């Protein structure tokens, strides 16, 4: 028995020694693992620190880039406002054919330069680094839908012209032309979609169309936008992935290497923030349609009276549209009908010549790029036969072939056609044709009795002498005698002694800028004027900064005459209504 007990004790002793060693080993191993974990945690913290530092550096770099672009934009736009403004005034005087060609060339070249500046700004606006947050902060201001779309098409006109693609737009008659929302974000979506459409289209057209999708309670409504191209289309097996990150926007076989795919992700995020959805339909070989809806509301003055007054005396004039693109003729036909003109369409030079023998035509619109006989060759035939009919060339951007035969054309418009510019040119040519209606063929017909219908006492805060001269002259042409203040301090002195209905406020001025002057006026004055920013600061966020400082509205330089008239008319109505309410109270 003692032997069995001894063996048992021996075994227990051995087990204890081995278990003890094992436990100690485990403890030591655990300590080693803890040291390794601590080391890894330290490395992770160091990596996180480096990443945060890199992020901070990226933010600093992005902010520096934004400030540089903002400064460049301001320094270019300020003199451009003077160039375009004075050239516009020049074009409104009595000019011979040679002088008008020079004035038109100045305007065209200036606007091409401005389009290049805009494209640089849009490239910055589309910087993915600015879209890091899940939610996009949206503004909700009144803006002109037509101008919003036409700016997009002008920015991309050069790229489209390289492939001989027509850029078009059509807004349904029920759609309000002045709406509320985020102007820049809507442009951001449209630029992405149109740019992708141009990249993936080798011939034909890209069209933006807008209709009322749904009318909600109150003033709220949903607008449906469609961007349709005649490109290669999207393969069916890729449709489901098109709004995912890094899906190639160059989904055609033509230029796949150029895209990151972030653009469509950004579009989806912005549209959803605007209360809508984005979708795509595509047929391989026949093109694609990207559609999205946004929630918006109609703004005041969607149909300015001065635009309607331009057509007085010209209702029912016959306009012949010559273009081989059926979509182009259809859209122009619809637009001319809205202006109470009588459009007739021809899709070839032969058909146009036949129509001219059958009916009396007042104006002819001729597309440059037609197969068989182009627009220049056709004009050379029409001009000798019908010398009194004005011929307006619809020219391809950056195509100067018409200059060798410029005498056969009365006016030249570069595509994509701005509808307001087309109306101005048609009216100018009709007035020039009918000498009883005007003493000279001016490019812009100033509205009659505008200041009497919209009485305003106006102060302009502007430090640039050329821009002072331009705004004083343009306002005097429509009946206003404005007063000038060269900086914010002078503005405060003037408003302290005299009431002004409206102040056009430059932002960057010496001694006191427009933002500070506006904040002071909002605090100090009992009777408040309408303050409109008139500034060369046209970067994303500049409009919001002006509104936040207390300004009522915003117009960027170079200033378009029709946009200026729209603002004057819009706020004159508001001022009149406020005065009536004050009297009633």
């Amino acid at each position: 028995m003692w032997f069995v007990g001894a063996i048992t004790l021996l075994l227990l002793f051995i087990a204890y020694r081995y278990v003890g060693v094992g436990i100690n080993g485990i403890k030591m191993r655990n300590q080693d693992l803890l040291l390794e974990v601590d080391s890894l945690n330290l490395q992770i913290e160091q990596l996180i620190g480096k990443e945060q530092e890199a992020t901070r550096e990226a933010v600093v770099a992005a902010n520096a880039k934004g400030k540089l672009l903002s400064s460049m934009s301001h320094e270019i736009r300020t003199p451009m406002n003077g160039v375009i403004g004075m050239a516009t005034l020049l074009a409104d005087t009595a000019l011979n054919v040679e002088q008008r060609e020079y004035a038109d060339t100045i305007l065209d070249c200036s606007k091409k330069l401005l389009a290049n500046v805009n494209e640089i700004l849009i490239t910055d606006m589309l910087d993915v680094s600015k879209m890091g947050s899940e939610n996009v902060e949206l503004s909700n201001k009144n803006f002109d839908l037509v101008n919003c779309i036409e700016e997009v098409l002008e920015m991309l006109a050069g790229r489209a012209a390289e492939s001989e693609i027509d850029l078009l737009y059509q807004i349904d008659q029920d759609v309000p032309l002045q709406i509320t929302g985020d102007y820049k974000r809507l442009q951001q979506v449209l630029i992405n979609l149109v740019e992708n459409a141009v990249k993936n289209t080798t011939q034909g057209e890209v069209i933006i169309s807008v209709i009322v999708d749904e009318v909600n309670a109150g003033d709220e409504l949903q607008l449906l936008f469609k961007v349709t191209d005649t490109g290669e289309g999207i393969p069916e097996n890729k449709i489901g992935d098109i709004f995912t990150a890094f899906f190639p926007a160059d989904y055609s076989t033509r230029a796949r290497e150029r895209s990151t795919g972030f653009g469509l992700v950004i579009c989806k995020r912005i549209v959803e923030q605007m209360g809508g959805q984005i979708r795509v339909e595509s047929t391989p070989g026949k093109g694609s349609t990207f559609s999205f809806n946004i929630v918006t509301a109609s703004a005041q003055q969607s149909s300015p009276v001065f635009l309607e007054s331009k057509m007085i005396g010209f209702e029912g004039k016959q306009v012949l549209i010559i273009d081989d693109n059926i979509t182009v003729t259809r859209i122009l036909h619809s637009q001319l009908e809205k202006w109470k003109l009588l459009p007739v369409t021809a899709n070839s030079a032969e058909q146009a010549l036949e129509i001219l023998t059958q009916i009396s035509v007042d104006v002819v619109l001729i597309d440059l790029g037609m197969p068989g006989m182009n627009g220049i060759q056709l004009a050379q035939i029409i001009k000798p036969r019908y010398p009194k009919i004005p011929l307006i060339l619809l020219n391809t951007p950056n195509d100067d072939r018409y200059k060798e035969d410029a005498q056969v054309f009365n006016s030249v418009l570069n595509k994509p056609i701005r509808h307001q510019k087309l109306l101005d040119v048609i009216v100018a040519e009709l007035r020039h044709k009918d000498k009883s209606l005007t003493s000279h063929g001016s490019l812009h017909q100033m509205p009659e009795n505008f200041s009497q219908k919209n009485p305003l006492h106006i102060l302009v805060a502007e430090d640039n002498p050329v821009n002072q001269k331009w705004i004083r002259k343009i306002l005097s042409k429509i009946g206003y005698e404005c007063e000038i203040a060269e900086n914010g301090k002078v503005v405060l002195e003037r408003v302290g002694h005299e009431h002004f209905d409206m102040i056009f406020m430059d932002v960057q001025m010496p001694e006191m800028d427009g933002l500070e002057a506006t904040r002071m006026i909002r605090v100090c004055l009992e009777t408040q004027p309408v303050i409109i920013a008139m500034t060369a600061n046209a970067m994303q966020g500049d409009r919001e900064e002006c509104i936040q400082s207390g300004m009522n509205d915003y117009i960027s330089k170079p200033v378009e005459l029709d946009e200026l008239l729209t603002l004057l008319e819009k706020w004159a109505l508001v001022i009149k209504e406020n005065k009536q309410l004050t009297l009633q109270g």
Side-chain angles (χ1 to χ4, degrees):
M1 292 293 294
W2 65 268
F3 178 76
V4 173
I7 294 297
T8 302
L9 288 173
L10 178 62
L11 291 174
L12 288 173
F13 175 75
I14 293 172
Y16 170 78
R17 291 294 303 272
Y18 275 99
V19 169
V21 171
I23 291 173
N24 290 334
I26 292 172
K27 288 181 179 179
M28 293 177 64
R29 181 57 181 161
N30 285 343
Q31 290 174 353
D32 292 341
L33 290 173
L34 288 173
L35 289 174
E36 290 180 16
V37 170
D38 289 340
S39 176
L40 289 173
N41 285 335
L42 180 60
Q43 293 178 40
I44 290 171
E45 289 176 2
Q46 291 173 344
L47 289 173
I48 291 173
K50 290 180 179 179
E51 183 182 5
Q52 290 174 341
E53 180 61 27
T55 301
R56 284 192 291 268
E57 291 176 358
V59 170
V60 171
N63 290 337
K65 177 185 175 185
K67 290 179 181 178
L68 175 62
L69 285 170
S70 180
S71 176
M72 288 172 57
S73 169
H74 185 273
E75 294 305 316
I76 293 172
R77 283 175 177 273
T78 297
M80 287 300 296
N81 187 65
V83 173
I84 293 177
M86 290 301 182
T88 302
L89 289 173
L90 175 63
D92 194 52
T93 63
L95 303 174
N96 60 34
V97 175
E98 183 179 12
Q99 291 168 336
R100 181 162 298 286
E101 181 184 355
Y102 296 158
D104 288 344
T105 301
I106 293 170
L107 280 169
D108 288 341
C109 291
S110 299
K111 290 183 177 180
K112 285 178 183 176
L113 175 58
L114 185 62
N116 290 336
V117 173
N118 286 339
E119 189 164 351
I120 293 171
L121 301 184
I122 288 299
T123 300
D124 178 68
M125 185 177 72
L126 293 177
D127 192 338
V128 177
S129 67
K130 295 185 178 182
M131 302 296 297
S133 63
E134 192 64 28
N135 292 323
V136 179
E137 186 178 348
L138 300 177
S139 66
N140 190 40
K141 307 300 177 186
N142 296 350
F143 66 89
D144 187 301
L145 180 60
V146 173
N147 191 62
C148 175
I149 292 174
E150 288 181 339
E151 282 184 355
V152 171
L153 298 184
E154 282 188 344
M155 290 174 196
L156 299 169
R159 301 180 196 180
E162 294 174 2
S163 301
E164 299 183 357
I165 299 168
D166 283 314
L167 294 183
L168 309 167
Y169 77 93
Q170 187 168 32
I171 300 176
D172 194 75
Q173 197 158 1
D174 296 335
V175 175
L177 302 184
Q178 299 283 327
I179 63 173
T180 63
D182 194 315
Y183 179 90
K184 290 297 182 184
R185 292 301 187 188
L186 177 57
Q187 275 198 338
Q188 192 172 349
V189 174
L190 291 173
I191 290 166
N192 262 305
L193 297 182
V194 174
E195 185 177 32
N196 287 345
V198 169
K199 287 178 181 178
N200 294 286
T201 302
T202 54
Q203 60 181 356
E205 70 250 358
V206 175
I207 309 169
I208 298 176
S209 59
V210 190
I211 64 171
V212 174
D213 193 29
E214 185 178 332
V215 178
N216 301 333
D219 295 331
E220 191 177 83
L221 69 153
Q222 291 190 34
L223 295 183
L224 178 64
F225 292 77
K226 292 185 177 181
V227 177
T228 303
D229 64 63
T230 55
E232 296 181 21
I234 306 168
E236 188 174 349
N237 63 342
K238 294 183 178 180
I239 288 283
D241 299 326
I242 197 152
F243 295 110
T244 58
F246 301 107
F247 181 88
D250 295 321
Y251 36 76
S252 72
T253 58
R254 159 173 183 252
R256 283 194 175 96
E257 72 281 359
R258 288 190 289 180
S259 174
T260 63
F262 260 114
L264 294 176
V265 176
I266 294 171
C267 289
K268 182 175 184 292
R269 187 183 303 173
I270 293 175
V271 168
E272 289 173 351
Q273 285 292 109
M274 297 173 102
Q277 292 183 326
I278 189 169
R279 59 196 70 86
V280 61
E281 297 176 358
S282 183
T283 302
K286 294 186 178 181
S288 306
T289 297
F290 284 82
S291 58
F292 66 93
N293 60 314
I294 63 170
V295 177
T296 183
S298 176
Q300 290 184 345
Q301 291 296 104
S302 60
S303 180
V305 176
F306 76 88
L307 292 178
E308 298 173 2
S309 67
K310 289 185 178 184
M311 297 310 301
I312 296 175
F314 300 125
E315 301 91 340
K317 294 292 185 180
Q318 297 254 31
V319 180
L320 175 59
I321 307 165
I322 310 170
D323 197 312
D324 63 299
N325 187 318
I326 296 175
T327 307
V328 173
T329 56
R330 174 177 56 80
I331 290 175
L332 286 176
H333 188 284
S334 174
Q335 187 59 51
L336 293 178
E337 281 188 327
K338 292 178 183 177
W339 295 332
K340 300 180 182 179
L341 297 168
L342 293 180
V344 182
T345 61
N347 298 120
S348 68
E350 293 75 19
Q351 186 182 6
L353 292 172
E354 180 65 24
I355 290 172
L356 286 169
T357 64
Q358 297 173 354
I359 63 173
S360 176
V361 173
D362 297 290
V363 177
V364 176
L365 307 179
I366 307 177
D367 179 45
L368 172 64
M370 295 188 293
M373 186 185 299
N374 66 32
I376 298 172
Q377 295 166 330
L378 177 58
Q380 290 170 337
I381 296 174
I382 295 175
K383 197 65 175 180
R385 295 184 187 179
Y386 310 95
K388 294 184 179 180
I389 299 179
L391 305 182
I392 300 173
L393 178 66
L394 307 182
N395 191 49
T396 302
N398 304 321
D399 194 329
D400 296 333
R401 284 180 291 168
Y402 74 90
K403 291 186 176 179
E404 296 180 4
D405 300 280
Q407 70 281 358
V408 300
F409 297 107
N410 298 75
S411 297
V412 177
L413 290 174
N414 282 326
K415 294 183 175 181
I417 304 300
R418 274 188 177 257
H419 289 178
Q420 186 55 56
K421 182 68 177 293
L422 175 62
L423 175 61
D424 285 340
V425 170
I426 290 175
V427 169
E429 295 302 342
L430 287 172
R431 289 184 181 277
H432 186 66
K433 182 182 177 185
D434 191 342
K435 300 295 184 181
S436 65
L437 292 175
T438 184
S439 59
H440 61 84
S442 64
L443 180 62
H444 292 89
Q445 179 62 23
M446 296 296 179
E448 297 180 2
N449 303 320
F450 187 88
S451 62
Q452 296 176 19
K453 297 174 183 176
N454 305 283
L456 294 167
H457 188 30
I458 299 174
L459 175 66
V460 177
E462 172 63 66
D463 64 305
N464 185 285
V466 175
N467 288 336
Q468 289 177 358
K469 186 176 182 179
W470 171 79
I471 189 64
R472 191 192 295 274
K473 188 69 175 177
I474 203 71
L475 288 175
S476 70
K477 279 182 170 287
I478 53 177
Y480 296 109
E481 293 298 326
C482 72
E483 299 186 36
I484 302 293
E486 59 270 21
N487 61 55
K489 284 188 176 180
V490 177
V491 170
L492 294 180
E493 292 173 5
R494 299 300 303 275
V495 299
H497 298 90
E498 186 177 358
H499 173 69
F500 293 92
D501 297 306
M502 181 179 292
I503 302 175
F504 284 105
M505 186 80 77
D506 189 21
V507 171
Q508 292 192 20
M509 295 184 290
E511 297 192 52
M512 180 183 288
D513 64 36
L515 299 175
E516 181 62 24
T518 299
R519 286 190 283 265
M520 294 290 289
I521 289 171
R522 293 309 186 212
V523 171
C524 298
L525 291 186
E526 182 177 349
T527 303
Q528 289 288 329
V530 168
I531 303 178
I532 298 174
M534 183 182 284
T535 174
N537 290 1
M539 293 290 289
Q540 182 180 336
D542 287 328
R543 174 189 289 269
E544 290 75 14
E545 186 178 22
C546 291
I547 300 300
Q548 288 170 4
S549 73
M551 297 185 187
N552 299 91
D553 215 327
Y554 172 101
I555 185 171
S556 63
K557 298 174 183 176
V559 176
E560 291 285 344
L561 175 60
D562 289 328
E563 189 178 0
L564 176 63
L565 292 172
T566 299
L567 277 178
L568 288 167
E569 192 172 47
K570 167 187 171 182
W571 288 107
L573 177 62
V574 173
I575 291 168
K576 181 180 179 181
E577 291 175 348
N578 288 342
K579 287 180 178 179
Q580 290 174 347
L581 290 173
T582 301
L583 291 174
Q584 292 172 3

